[in-house]
Amino acid sequence: MTSYSPTIQLIATSPMGLEAVVAREVRELGYDQVTVENGRITYTGDLLAICRSNLWLRTSDRVLVRMAQFEAKSFDELFEGVKALPWADWIPEDGEFPVEGRSHKSQLSSVPACQGIVKKAVVDSMKQRYGTEWFRETGGRYVIEVSLLNDIATITLDTTGPGLHKRGYRKLVTEAPLKETMAAAMVLLSRWQPQQPLYDPFCGSGTIPIEAAMIGWNLAPGLRRSFNSESWPLIGEELWEQAREEAYDSVKDDIPLQIGGSDIDASAIEVALAAAKAAGLANDLTFKTIPVGKALPTGDYGCLLTNPPYGERLGDSGEVERALRQFGHMYKQLPNWSAYLLSPSKQLEHYVGRHADKKRKLFNGRIECNLFQFFAPGGLYGWRKGAGQAEENGRKET
């Protein structure tokens, strides 16, 4: 294990509207020094926290090291602030270090110019450590970002690489697929429990059922992929091995799952089956090619969790309206089930036939949606009371 394990500031970036969910995940990992801002959750950790965060965060987009934050109203201030950072502690002599940038409401408004200044400052800093004038950049990848907001520069180092929504199980995609991070957020926001049936009648490529199964079995979503920082000498292979061993030891795959989905599109179901197989869940999830009007799940108590089609995303408005009406008819036959639908539709409650108990604004890509939440009788946890009563009645009958 590496002998150098500094206390560092980490940033888990968040889709708009999911900051509280990401913050809850960070705290559940054991990191309680958390600051929540728009689009980012900042927290304190060590090098092992980088590994754990990448492996476990289901709803974050990526994990960044916050190298520094300082005022930069001029290129000189930006250059000196970046140059003063210990880049050679993180980046080896052969490391590849591209610079990305963005600027909003700042005097340094030219992003390409800021990127160039940051690159030059990092090179100058590393020259002092390595005693060379030229860096080949043929080794591991260390993506640096300069983000300027109201003349405050935040300098970060990306530990993730491809976004955390890329779990590794979805090789094929359907039209307008739901991101894995959003599907996981829907499951977490529903407070679904693995003992409870869960069904998605508009399952598409199966993302919601797969993410639910991974949550139910406590499968770390990053176990089947790699990350940029796995090749970083500062972290070392042993810390990554430790984090992965912890994740494997935490799996609870002895819990019986009652999770399924259906879709009218047979090709989408083929994609869902392939994804379930790639995720190691082929024998534990059920997928069917049927229209929503015939998708009546079994079980006295359960959770409908779905992202129905909508006009802005796919299909025409007439088809969407018919599908939502059929969902409403189906839902009326499940009086003890809760339902959670992510949709931009202003008429969704009308089609379902009742007012939502709660609505939460979320963004599916760039489309503003609501997570419409219809609770089972007894409120958010009513199914537990009913299920417990049914179990008690069963004992009395025997």
Side-chain angles (χ1 to χ4, degrees), residues 8-12 41-46 49-50 53 63-66 159:
I8 51 181
Q9 289 289 305
L10 295 173
I11 296 173
I41 289 76
T42 304
Y43 56 106
T44 301
D46 56 11
I50 292 175
S53 298
V63 179
L64 313 174
V65 176
R66 192 177 83 169
T159 74

Side-chain angles (χ1 to χ4, degrees), residues 33-345:
Q33 297 182 38
V34 176
T35 301
V36 181
E37 303 172 273
N38 288 337
R40 57 178 52 198
I41 289 76
T42 304
Y43 56 106
T44 301
D46 56 11
L47 293 176
L48 183 58
I50 292 175
C51 311
R52 287 173 173 159
S53 298
N54 277 296
L55 288 174
W56 280 104
L57 292 181
R58 301 180 189 277
T59 58
S60 174
D61 288 325
R62 59 187 62 249
V63 179
L64 313 174
V65 176
R66 192 177 83 169
M67 300 294 292
Q69 191 170 69
F70 53 87
E71 186 177 72
K73 293 183 178 180
S74 69
F75 288 127
D76 283 343
E77 289 178 329
L78 181 60
F79 180 86
E80 295 300 333
V82 172
K83 183 180 177 181
L85 300 177
W87 293 107
D89 288 348
W90 290 90
I91 306 174
E93 187 173 351
D94 67 345
E96 178 190 5
F97 50 103
V99 178
E100 298 179 353
R102 50 185 171 164
S103 178
H104 184 62
K105 296 182 179 179
S106 298
Q107 294 184 42
L108 299 180
S109 58
S110 172
V111 173
C114 291
Q115 289 172 273
I117 290 294
V118 170
K119 182 77 173 185
K120 186 176 186 303
V122 175
V123 168
D124 277 14
S125 173
M126 292 176 62
K127 280 180 181 179
Q128 295 175 3
R129 174 74 65 89
Y130 295 116
T132 182
E133 292 294 317
W134 181 68
F135 296 94
R136 294 186 302 163
E137 299 195 46
T138 56
R141 189 169 172 84
Y142 301 76
V143 179
I144 299 166
E145 182 182 78
V146 50
S147 176
L148 287 150
L149 176 63
N150 296 322
D151 295 322
I152 300 298
T154 302
I155 311 299
T156 58
L157 196 56
D158 179 13
T159 74
T160 301
L164 289 174
H165 71 281
K166 295 183 180 294
R167 316 289 207 217
Y169 62 74
R170 191 160 70 176
K171 308 299 182 185
L172 304 172
V173 295
T174 55
E175 186 177 1
L178 184 70
K179 264 191 176 182
E180 293 86 338
T181 42
M182 179 58 72
M186 291 172 64
V187 177
L188 294 174
L189 287 168
S190 76
R191 302 286 183 168
W192 169 80
Q193 298 294 311
Q195 299 82 7
Q196 183 187 20
L198 182 145
Y199 194 84
D200 180 357
F202 299 103
C203 73
S205 56
T207 308
I208 291 175
I210 291 171
E211 290 295 321
M214 293 174 70
I215 290 170
W217 277 1
N218 202 38
L219 290 167
L223 271 177
R224 292 177 177 268
R225 58 160 290 175
S226 60
F227 305 92
N228 277 0
S229 52
E230 284 188 68
S231 65
W232 294 6
L234 179 62
I235 299 176
E237 293 181 3
E238 290 186 19
L239 283 185
W240 276 102
E241 288 175 3
Q242 178 183 339
R244 288 186 180 277
E245 286 175 7
E246 289 174 353
Y248 282 117
D249 290 343
S250 299
V251 174
K252 301 176 181 178
D253 57 1
D254 56 339
I255 299 175
L257 297 177
Q258 305 171 71
I259 300 175
S262 57
D263 200 281
I264 196 171
D265 185 351
S267 62
I269 293 300
E270 290 182 7
V271 174
L273 290 169
K277 182 178 180 181
L281 297 164
N283 297 324
D284 303 283
L285 302 177
T286 59
F287 293 104
K288 300 177 182 178
T289 305
I290 50 175
V292 63
K294 297 182 180 180
L296 191 64
T298 58
D300 293 332
Y301 298 87
C303 178
L304 295 173
L305 195 59
T306 192
N307 175 219
Y310 36 88
E312 298 95 329
R313 193 167 65 102
L314 46 81
D316 61 53
S317 58
E319 292 178 356
V320 170
E321 181 179 329
R322 283 191 294 274
L324 290 176
R325 288 187 183 278
Q326 290 173 358
F327 176 89
H329 177 73
M330 181 263 286
Y331 186 40
K332 288 177 182 178
Q333 301 175 64
L334 300 167
N336 294 316
W337 281 57
S338 58
Y340 299 80
L341 293 85
L342 181 68
S343 174
S345 173

